[in-house]
Amino acid sequence: MTAPGPRLRRALEGIPSYKPGRSATSATGRPTYKLSSNEYPFPPPPELVDAVRRAAETINRYPDLTSGRLVAKLSERLGVPTSHLAVGTGSVALLYHLLHAVCEPGDEVIYAWRSFEAYPVAAQVAGATRIEVPLTPDARLDLDAMAERVTDRTRAILVCTPNNPTGPVVHHDELAAFLARVPTDVLVLVDEAYLEFVRDPNAADALALYREHPNVCLLRTFSKAYCLANLRVGYAIAHEPVADALRACAPPFAVSSLAEEAALAALACEDVLLAAVERLVEERRRVAVALREYGFDVPATEANFVWLPLGDEAEVFAAACEAEGVIVRTFAGDGCRISIGEQKANDLVLEVAARWASSRGLSSRDHR
Ligand SMILES: *Cc1c(COP(=O)(O)O)cnc(C)c1O
Protein backbone atom coordinates (compact mmCIF):
# COMPACT_ATOMS: atom_id res chain seq x y z
CA MET A 1 0.00 0.00 0.00
CA THR A 2 1.35 3.40 -0.85
CA ALA A 3 0.62 6.51 1.16
CA PRO A 4 -1.20 9.24 -0.73
CA GLY A 5 1.08 11.84 -2.29
CA PRO A 6 0.72 15.58 -1.78
CA ARG A 7 -2.69 17.00 -2.53
CA LEU A 8 -2.72 18.95 -5.75
CA ARG A 9 -5.01 21.83 -6.65
CA ARG A 10 -8.31 20.62 -8.02
CA ALA A 11 -7.93 23.05 -10.91
CA LEU A 12 -5.15 20.84 -12.28
CA GLU A 13 -7.41 17.81 -12.79
CA GLY A 14 -7.70 16.91 -16.45
CA ILE A 15 -5.53 19.81 -17.52
CA PRO A 16 -4.75 19.73 -21.23
CA SER A 17 -1.02 19.50 -21.93
CA TYR A 18 0.74 21.82 -24.35
CA LYS A 19 1.84 19.86 -27.39
CA PRO A 20 4.89 21.34 -29.08
CA GLY A 21 5.38 21.18 -32.82
CA ARG A 22 7.35 18.05 -33.69
CA SER A 23 10.98 18.43 -34.58
CA ALA A 24 12.37 17.44 -37.91
CA THR A 25 14.36 14.24 -37.56
CA SER A 26 15.83 12.76 -40.67
CA ALA A 27 15.75 8.97 -40.81
CA THR A 28 16.55 8.98 -44.50
CA GLY A 29 19.54 11.32 -44.44
CA ARG A 30 17.62 13.70 -46.67
CA PRO A 31 16.94 17.26 -45.48
CA THR A 32 13.85 17.62 -43.36
CA TYR A 33 12.04 20.85 -42.69
CA LYS A 34 10.26 21.79 -39.47
CA LEU A 35 7.18 23.78 -40.44
CA SER A 36 5.38 22.95 -37.20
CA SER A 37 6.29 25.77 -34.78
CA ASN A 38 6.16 29.05 -36.72
CA GLU A 39 9.83 29.71 -36.06
CA TYR A 40 12.21 32.05 -37.85
CA PRO A 41 13.44 29.52 -40.41
CA PHE A 42 16.81 31.04 -41.31
CA PRO A 43 20.04 30.80 -39.28
CA PRO A 44 20.41 33.59 -36.72
CA PRO A 45 22.42 36.60 -37.96
CA PRO A 46 26.00 36.48 -36.59
CA GLU A 47 25.34 39.64 -34.52
CA LEU A 48 22.86 37.66 -32.41
CA VAL A 49 25.17 34.73 -31.86
CA ASP A 50 28.02 37.11 -30.92
CA ALA A 51 25.81 38.91 -28.41
CA VAL A 52 24.97 35.61 -26.72
CA ARG A 53 28.65 34.57 -26.70
CA ARG A 54 29.65 37.83 -25.06
CA ALA A 55 26.88 37.53 -22.49
CA ALA A 56 28.07 33.99 -21.72
CA GLU A 57 31.12 35.52 -19.99
CA THR A 58 28.90 36.50 -17.06
CA ILE A 59 26.74 33.42 -16.58
CA ASN A 60 28.04 33.09 -13.00
CA ARG A 61 26.18 36.30 -12.09
CA TYR A 62 22.45 36.87 -11.78
CA PRO A 63 20.97 38.89 -14.62
CA ASP A 64 19.54 42.38 -14.22
CA LEU A 65 16.26 41.84 -12.32
CA THR A 66 14.30 44.30 -14.46
CA SER A 67 16.04 43.79 -17.84
CA GLY A 68 16.51 47.54 -17.55
CA ARG A 69 18.44 48.13 -20.76
CA LEU A 70 15.93 46.23 -22.84
CA VAL A 71 13.02 47.99 -21.13
CA ALA A 72 14.64 51.38 -21.76
CA LYS A 73 15.19 50.54 -25.42
CA LEU A 74 11.60 49.34 -25.90
CA SER A 75 10.25 52.39 -24.07
CA GLU A 76 12.11 54.70 -26.43
CA ARG A 77 11.08 52.81 -29.58
CA LEU A 78 7.41 52.40 -28.66
CA GLY A 79 6.88 55.73 -26.95
CA VAL A 80 5.52 54.12 -23.78
CA PRO A 81 6.73 54.77 -20.22
CA THR A 82 9.12 52.18 -18.78
CA SER A 83 6.57 51.61 -16.00
CA HIS A 84 4.18 50.26 -18.65
CA LEU A 85 6.59 47.55 -19.80
CA ALA A 86 7.32 44.14 -18.34
CA VAL A 87 9.77 41.68 -19.85
CA GLY A 88 9.34 37.94 -19.35
CA THR A 89 10.48 34.53 -20.54
CA GLY A 90 8.37 34.62 -23.67
CA SER A 91 4.89 36.00 -24.06
CA VAL A 92 3.40 32.71 -22.88
CA ALA A 93 5.00 33.22 -19.46
CA LEU A 94 3.58 36.75 -19.37
CA LEU A 95 0.14 35.32 -20.14
CA TYR A 96 0.42 32.90 -17.20
CA HIS A 97 1.49 35.70 -14.84
CA LEU A 98 -1.34 37.96 -15.97
CA LEU A 99 -3.99 35.30 -15.51
CA HIS A 100 -2.61 34.58 -12.03
CA ALA A 101 -2.84 38.28 -11.35
CA VAL A 102 -6.54 38.59 -12.24
CA CYS A 103 -8.23 35.20 -11.66
CA GLU A 104 -9.76 33.85 -8.46
CA PRO A 105 -10.94 30.21 -8.59
CA GLY A 106 -14.03 29.94 -10.76
CA ASP A 107 -13.51 33.22 -12.56
CA GLU A 108 -13.88 33.10 -16.29
CA VAL A 109 -11.41 33.57 -19.10
CA ILE A 110 -12.84 34.02 -22.58
CA TYR A 111 -10.98 33.20 -25.77
CA ALA A 112 -11.78 32.09 -29.28
CA TRP A 113 -11.53 28.48 -30.29
CA ARG A 114 -9.67 27.30 -32.14
CA SER A 115 -6.89 29.61 -31.08
CA PHE A 116 -3.47 29.31 -29.44
CA GLU A 117 -2.93 25.96 -27.68
CA ALA A 118 -1.44 27.63 -24.60
CA TYR A 119 -4.69 29.45 -23.72
CA PRO A 120 -6.70 26.54 -22.28
CA VAL A 121 -3.69 25.39 -20.28
CA ALA A 122 -2.90 28.85 -18.90
CA ALA A 123 -6.55 29.51 -17.99
CA GLN A 124 -6.88 26.23 -16.17
CA VAL A 125 -3.57 26.56 -14.29
CA ALA A 126 -4.85 29.93 -13.08
CA GLY A 127 -7.92 28.15 -11.65
CA ALA A 128 -10.24 29.87 -14.10
CA THR A 129 -13.18 28.46 -16.02
CA ARG A 130 -12.49 28.34 -19.76
CA ILE A 131 -15.05 30.01 -22.00
CA GLU A 132 -14.34 29.05 -25.61
CA VAL A 133 -16.14 30.96 -28.33
CA PRO A 134 -16.23 29.42 -31.84
CA LEU A 135 -14.53 31.19 -34.72
CA THR A 136 -16.62 32.51 -37.60
CA PRO A 137 -16.95 30.24 -40.69
CA ASP A 138 -14.04 32.11 -42.29
CA ALA A 139 -11.81 31.27 -39.30
CA ARG A 140 -11.84 34.76 -37.77
CA LEU A 141 -12.37 35.76 -34.16
CA ASP A 142 -16.04 36.47 -33.47
CA LEU A 143 -15.60 39.46 -31.17
CA ASP A 144 -19.35 40.13 -30.94
CA ALA A 145 -19.97 36.58 -29.72
CA MET A 146 -17.03 36.92 -27.32
CA ALA A 147 -18.42 40.17 -25.89
CA GLU A 148 -21.78 38.47 -25.41
CA ARG A 149 -20.18 35.85 -23.18
CA VAL A 150 -18.95 38.42 -20.64
CA THR A 151 -20.44 37.89 -17.15
CA ASP A 152 -19.72 39.17 -13.65
CA ARG A 153 -17.14 36.39 -13.38
CA THR A 154 -15.18 37.35 -16.49
CA ARG A 155 -11.69 38.54 -15.60
CA ALA A 156 -9.79 38.24 -18.86
CA ILE A 157 -10.40 37.98 -22.60
CA LEU A 158 -7.65 36.71 -24.89
CA VAL A 159 -7.56 38.23 -28.37
CA CYS A 160 -5.05 36.55 -30.65
CA THR A 161 -4.35 38.64 -33.75
CA PRO A 162 -3.31 37.25 -36.18
CA ASN A 163 -5.04 34.17 -34.81
CA ASN A 164 -2.87 31.12 -34.34
CA PRO A 165 -3.47 28.64 -36.01
CA THR A 166 -5.93 30.06 -38.57
CA GLY A 167 -4.18 33.30 -39.63
CA PRO A 168 -6.73 36.15 -39.91
CA VAL A 169 -6.29 39.46 -38.05
CA VAL A 170 -8.80 41.43 -36.03
CA HIS A 171 -9.59 44.72 -37.76
CA HIS A 172 -9.16 48.05 -36.03
CA ASP A 173 -12.81 49.07 -36.05
CA GLU A 174 -13.81 45.65 -34.71
CA LEU A 175 -11.37 45.84 -31.80
CA ALA A 176 -12.33 49.43 -31.02
CA ALA A 177 -16.03 48.51 -30.95
CA PHE A 178 -15.29 45.48 -28.81
CA LEU A 179 -13.32 47.51 -26.28
CA ALA A 180 -16.15 50.03 -26.08
CA ARG A 181 -18.44 47.15 -25.09
CA VAL A 182 -16.30 45.20 -22.63
CA PRO A 183 -16.43 46.40 -18.99
CA THR A 184 -13.24 48.24 -18.06
CA ASP A 185 -12.56 45.94 -15.10
CA VAL A 186 -12.01 43.02 -17.50
CA LEU A 187 -8.42 42.59 -18.71
CA VAL A 188 -8.20 42.36 -22.50
CA LEU A 189 -4.98 40.66 -23.60
CA VAL A 190 -4.07 41.29 -27.20
CA ASP A 191 -1.58 38.63 -28.28
CA GLU A 192 0.48 40.10 -31.11
CA ALA A 193 3.03 37.32 -31.52
CA TYR A 194 2.92 37.69 -35.32
CA LEU A 195 2.63 41.47 -35.54
CA GLU A 196 5.67 41.89 -37.81
CA PHE A 197 4.07 39.69 -40.48
CA VAL A 198 0.85 41.73 -40.72
CA ARG A 199 0.32 43.64 -43.99
CA ASP A 200 -3.45 44.24 -43.89
CA PRO A 201 -3.93 48.03 -43.60
CA ASN A 202 -7.18 47.48 -41.68
CA ALA A 203 -5.48 45.38 -38.99
CA ALA A 204 -5.96 46.58 -35.44
CA ASP A 205 -3.47 49.14 -34.15
CA ALA A 206 -3.55 47.67 -30.67
CA LEU A 207 -0.83 50.00 -29.40
CA ALA A 208 -3.08 52.98 -30.14
CA LEU A 209 -6.03 51.29 -28.40
CA TYR A 210 -3.94 50.42 -25.32
CA ARG A 211 -3.21 54.14 -24.94
CA GLU A 212 -6.96 54.85 -24.63
CA HIS A 213 -7.98 51.82 -22.55
CA PRO A 214 -6.52 51.07 -19.11
CA ASN A 215 -7.74 47.46 -19.33
CA VAL A 216 -5.80 46.58 -22.48
CA CYS A 217 -2.50 44.73 -22.34
CA LEU A 218 -0.42 43.81 -25.39
CA LEU A 219 1.78 40.74 -25.53
CA ARG A 220 4.72 40.70 -27.90
CA THR A 221 7.59 38.32 -28.42
CA PHE A 222 11.10 37.98 -29.78
CA SER A 223 10.36 34.32 -30.60
CA LYS A 224 9.04 34.68 -34.13
CA ALA A 225 10.15 37.57 -36.35
CA TYR A 226 13.11 38.30 -34.05
CA CYS A 227 14.62 34.84 -34.32
CA LEU A 228 14.94 34.11 -30.58
CA ALA A 229 12.45 31.32 -29.83
CA ASN A 230 15.01 29.36 -27.84
CA LEU A 231 16.08 32.22 -25.58
CA ARG A 232 12.61 32.95 -24.18
CA VAL A 233 12.01 36.66 -24.23
CA GLY A 234 8.85 38.65 -24.74
CA TYR A 235 7.23 41.73 -23.28
CA ALA A 236 3.92 43.14 -22.18
CA ILE A 237 2.69 46.70 -22.64
CA ALA A 238 0.05 47.71 -20.10
CA HIS A 239 -0.95 50.56 -17.83
CA GLU A 240 0.91 50.71 -14.57
CA PRO A 241 -1.42 48.76 -12.24
CA VAL A 242 -1.50 45.83 -14.67
CA ALA A 243 2.23 45.98 -15.41
CA ASP A 244 2.98 46.14 -11.65
CA ALA A 245 0.75 43.14 -10.96
CA LEU A 246 2.40 41.22 -13.76
CA ARG A 247 5.87 41.91 -12.33
CA ALA A 248 4.68 40.88 -8.87
CA CYS A 249 3.50 37.49 -10.20
CA ALA A 250 6.69 36.75 -12.14
CA PRO A 251 9.56 34.86 -10.53
CA PRO A 252 12.66 37.04 -10.07
CA PHE A 253 15.61 36.83 -12.51
CA ALA A 254 13.62 34.82 -15.06
CA VAL A 255 15.01 36.60 -18.11
CA SER A 256 18.71 35.78 -18.50
CA SER A 257 21.25 38.32 -19.63
CA LEU A 258 21.84 36.06 -22.65
CA ALA A 259 18.22 36.64 -23.61
CA GLU A 260 18.32 40.35 -22.82
CA GLU A 261 21.53 40.93 -24.80
CA ALA A 262 20.22 38.88 -27.71
CA ALA A 263 16.98 40.88 -27.75
CA LEU A 264 18.95 44.14 -27.76
CA ALA A 265 21.12 42.80 -30.58
CA ALA A 266 17.99 41.73 -32.48
CA LEU A 267 16.60 45.26 -32.24
CA ALA A 268 19.96 46.62 -33.38
CA CYS A 269 20.00 44.39 -36.49
CA GLU A 270 16.29 44.67 -37.08
CA ASP A 271 16.77 45.61 -40.74
CA VAL A 272 18.27 42.17 -41.43
CA LEU A 273 15.52 40.34 -39.53
CA LEU A 274 12.69 42.34 -41.03
CA ALA A 275 14.08 41.82 -44.53
CA ALA A 276 13.79 38.09 -43.87
CA VAL A 277 10.25 38.65 -42.59
CA GLU A 278 9.44 40.43 -45.86
CA ARG A 279 10.70 37.41 -47.82
CA LEU A 280 8.48 35.18 -45.67
CA VAL A 281 5.49 37.43 -46.31
CA GLU A 282 6.12 37.10 -50.06
CA GLU A 283 6.40 33.34 -49.69
CA ARG A 284 3.18 33.33 -47.68
CA ARG A 285 1.39 35.03 -50.57
CA ARG A 286 2.84 32.57 -53.06
CA VAL A 287 1.88 29.56 -50.96
CA ALA A 288 -1.65 30.79 -50.16
CA VAL A 289 -2.39 31.69 -53.78
CA ALA A 290 -1.16 28.30 -55.01
CA LEU A 291 -3.12 26.38 -52.37
CA ARG A 292 -6.30 28.23 -53.29
CA GLU A 293 -5.64 27.51 -56.96
CA TYR A 294 -5.44 23.81 -56.11
CA GLY A 295 -8.86 24.15 -54.49
CA PHE A 296 -7.99 24.33 -50.78
CA ASP A 297 -10.02 26.62 -48.57
CA VAL A 298 -7.23 28.76 -47.06
CA PRO A 299 -8.35 31.52 -44.66
CA ALA A 300 -6.79 34.97 -45.14
CA THR A 301 -3.48 34.80 -43.27
CA GLU A 302 -1.44 37.68 -41.89
CA ALA A 303 1.00 35.46 -39.98
CA ASN A 304 3.93 33.22 -40.92
CA PHE A 305 1.72 30.19 -41.47
CA VAL A 306 -1.28 28.99 -43.44
CA TRP A 307 -4.21 26.96 -42.16
CA LEU A 308 -5.75 24.08 -44.07
CA PRO A 309 -9.14 23.12 -42.66
CA LEU A 310 -8.90 19.44 -43.61
CA GLY A 311 -11.18 18.02 -40.92
CA ASP A 312 -10.76 14.29 -40.52
CA GLU A 313 -8.08 14.20 -43.20
CA ALA A 314 -5.63 16.41 -41.32
CA GLU A 315 -3.51 13.52 -40.08
CA VAL A 316 -3.35 11.88 -43.50
CA PHE A 317 -2.24 15.15 -45.09
CA ALA A 318 0.42 15.63 -42.40
CA ALA A 319 1.71 12.11 -43.04
CA ALA A 320 1.94 12.86 -46.77
CA CYS A 321 4.02 15.97 -45.94
CA GLU A 322 6.23 13.99 -43.61
CA ALA A 323 6.91 11.44 -46.33
CA GLU A 324 8.43 14.36 -48.28
CA GLY A 325 10.49 15.51 -45.31
CA VAL A 326 8.20 18.28 -44.06
CA ILE A 327 6.81 18.34 -40.53
CA VAL A 328 3.58 20.34 -40.22
CA ARG A 329 1.38 20.91 -37.19
CA THR A 330 -1.67 18.66 -37.04
CA PHE A 331 -4.84 19.37 -35.09
CA ALA A 332 -6.52 16.00 -35.40
CA GLY A 333 -10.02 16.20 -36.82
CA ASP A 334 -9.64 19.88 -37.57
CA GLY A 335 -6.76 20.91 -39.81
CA CYS A 336 -3.08 21.46 -40.42
CA ARG A 337 -1.10 24.58 -39.70
CA ILE A 338 1.88 24.93 -41.97
CA SER A 339 4.58 27.45 -41.16
CA ILE A 340 6.08 29.41 -44.01
CA GLY A 341 9.71 28.38 -44.22
CA GLU A 342 12.59 28.37 -46.66
CA GLN A 343 11.52 28.37 -50.30
CA LYS A 344 12.54 24.72 -50.74
CA ALA A 345 10.35 23.64 -47.82
CA ASN A 346 7.39 25.62 -49.14
CA ASP A 347 7.88 24.05 -52.58
CA LEU A 348 7.68 20.59 -51.03
CA VAL A 349 4.42 21.49 -49.27
CA LEU A 350 2.98 22.72 -52.56
CA GLU A 351 4.02 19.50 -54.32
CA VAL A 352 2.22 17.42 -51.70
CA ALA A 353 -0.80 19.72 -51.84
CA ALA A 354 -0.99 19.56 -55.64
CA ARG A 355 -0.93 15.75 -55.62
CA TRP A 356 -3.49 15.71 -52.81
CA ALA A 357 -5.79 18.06 -54.67
CA SER A 358 -5.73 16.04 -57.88
CA SER A 359 -6.19 12.74 -56.04
CA ARG A 360 -9.23 14.14 -54.19
CA GLY A 361 -10.63 15.93 -57.20
CA LEU A 362 -10.51 19.34 -55.51
CA SER A 363 -11.67 22.05 -57.85
CA SER A 364 -10.13 25.45 -58.23
CA ARG A 365 -13.18 27.00 -59.84
CA ASP A 366 -14.26 29.36 -57.10
CA HIS A 367 -10.91 30.49 -55.77
CA ARG A 368 -10.39 34.19 -55.21
C1 LIG B 1 4.37 31.67 -30.71
C2 LIG B 1 3.30 32.38 -29.99
C3 LIG B 1 3.59 33.14 -28.87
C4 LIG B 1 5.00 33.34 -28.43
O1 LIG B 1 5.32 32.59 -27.37
P1 LIG B 1 6.69 32.86 -26.62
O2 LIG B 1 6.39 32.35 -25.25
O3 LIG B 1 6.96 34.32 -26.65
O4 LIG B 1 7.72 32.08 -27.35
C5 LIG B 1 2.57 33.80 -28.23
N1 LIG B 1 1.31 33.75 -28.70
C6 LIG B 1 1.01 33.06 -29.79
C7 LIG B 1 -0.38 33.09 -30.30
C8 LIG B 1 1.97 32.34 -30.45
O5 LIG B 1 1.65 31.63 -31.53
Side-chain angles (χ1 to χ4, degrees):
M1 229 185 61
T2 51
R7 266 198 245 177
L8 302 176
R9 284 168 53 221
R10 283 226 298 282
L12 301 185
E13 279 169 25
I15 196 160
S17 61
Y18 184 87
K19 293 178 199 68
R22 292 204 14 243
S23 289
T25 49
S26 176
T28 56
R30 196 172 52 129
T32 56
Y33 298 96
K34 183 184 178 199
L35 300 186
S36 54
S37 296
N38 300 341
E39 293 150 334
Y40 184 93
F42 310 112
E47 296 94 313
L48 296 196
V49 180
D50 288 345
V52 174
R53 279 213 185 90
R54 279 195 305 275
E57 302 287 340
T58 61
I59 55 174
N60 56 317
R61 304 290 179 192
Y62 280 106
D64 174 7
L65 181 72
T66 61
S67 304
R69 290 175 55 232
L70 180 55
V71 166
K73 178 56 82 180
L74 292 169
S75 160
E76 166 198 317
R77 290 165 56 100
L78 298 164
V80 309
T82 56
S83 60
H84 287 210
L85 287 161
V87 175
T89 52
S91 47
V92 172
L94 297 165
L95 168 70
Y96 274 63
H97 304 329
L98 286 159
L99 293 185
H100 273 131
V102 298
C103 292
E104 309 278 5
D107 283 341
E108 294 170 356
V109 174
I110 300 175
Y111 50 89
W113 200 252
R114 180 173 291 279
S115 189
F116 186 31
E117 291 286 279
Y119 296 164
V121 188
Q124 195 164 336
V125 169
T129 300
R130 294 146 40 185
I131 307 293
E132 300 185 342
V133 179
L135 297 172
T136 66
D138 48 356
R140 307 186 70 236
L141 265 59
D142 189 342
L143 289 182
D144 284 333
M146 289 167 75
E148 273 154 29
R149 297 299 299 275
V150 172
T151 70
D152 290 348
R153 299 304 305 258
T154 306
R155 290 294 168 276
I157 308 178
L158 316 181
V159 175
C160 189
T161 179
N163 188 48
N164 177 3
T166 58
V169 278
V170 167
H171 289 154
H172 192 79
D173 52 351
E174 292 175 310
L175 188 58
F178 175 77
L179 290 172
R181 239 181 117 174
V182 169
T184 56
D185 64 351
V186 173
L187 179 66
V188 177
L189 281 168
V190 185
D191 186 340
E192 299 193 291
Y194 302 97
L195 176 68
E196 297 79 7
F197 298 91
V198 173
R199 295 295 178 269
D200 181 347
N202 297 320
D205 179 354
L207 187 64
L209 293 170
Y210 128 84
R211 295 186 200 278
E212 296 166 18
H213 295 273
N215 59 328
V216 171
C217 174
L218 315 187
L219 295 179
R220 295 184 176 179
T221 182
F222 286 91
S223 294
K224 308 285 161 56
Y226 289 90
C227 180
L228 297 180
N230 199 323
L231 281 177
R232 316 304 306 127
V233 52
Y235 59 97
I237 307 169
H239 291 262
E240 215 163 306
V242 174
D244 285 347
L246 196 175
R247 283 188 223 98
C249 291
F253 302 117
V255 177
S256 70
S257 45
L258 282 72
E260 185 185 7
E261 292 301 333
L264 284 163
L267 293 173
C269 72
E270 189 176 52
D271 49 340
V272 176
L273 297 169
L274 295 185
V277 166
E278 192 55 43
R279 292 205 299 282
L280 291 169
V281 167
E282 279 158 27
E283 280 291 282
R284 170 181 85 201
R285 290 199 187 103
R286 179 175 77 92
V287 169
V289 165
L291 290 170
R292 287 183 195 123
E293 269 168 17
Y294 302 156
F296 290 92
D297 182 16
V298 182
T301 175
E302 293 290 326
N304 62 346
F305 52 81
V306 291
W307 171 248
L308 293 183
L310 295 162
D312 291 338
E313 297 208 286
E315 286 169 295
V316 187
F317 184 87
C321 289
E322 193 159 343
E324 295 300 323
V326 179
I327 313 293
V328 304
R329 183 64 178 273
T330 313
F331 299 90
D334 200 354
C336 289
R337 187 194 68 199
I338 307 170
S339 308
I340 301 299
E342 311 86 314
Q343 197 180 334
K344 183 75 192 40
N346 306 331
D347 286 344
L348 286 170
V349 168
L350 291 179
E351 279 174 33
V352 173
R355 278 205 303 277
W356 178 275
S358 65
S359 74
R360 315 268 146 161
L362 294 190
S363 132
S364 58
R365 261 173 317 170
D366 53 359
H367 85 86
R368 276 138 286 162

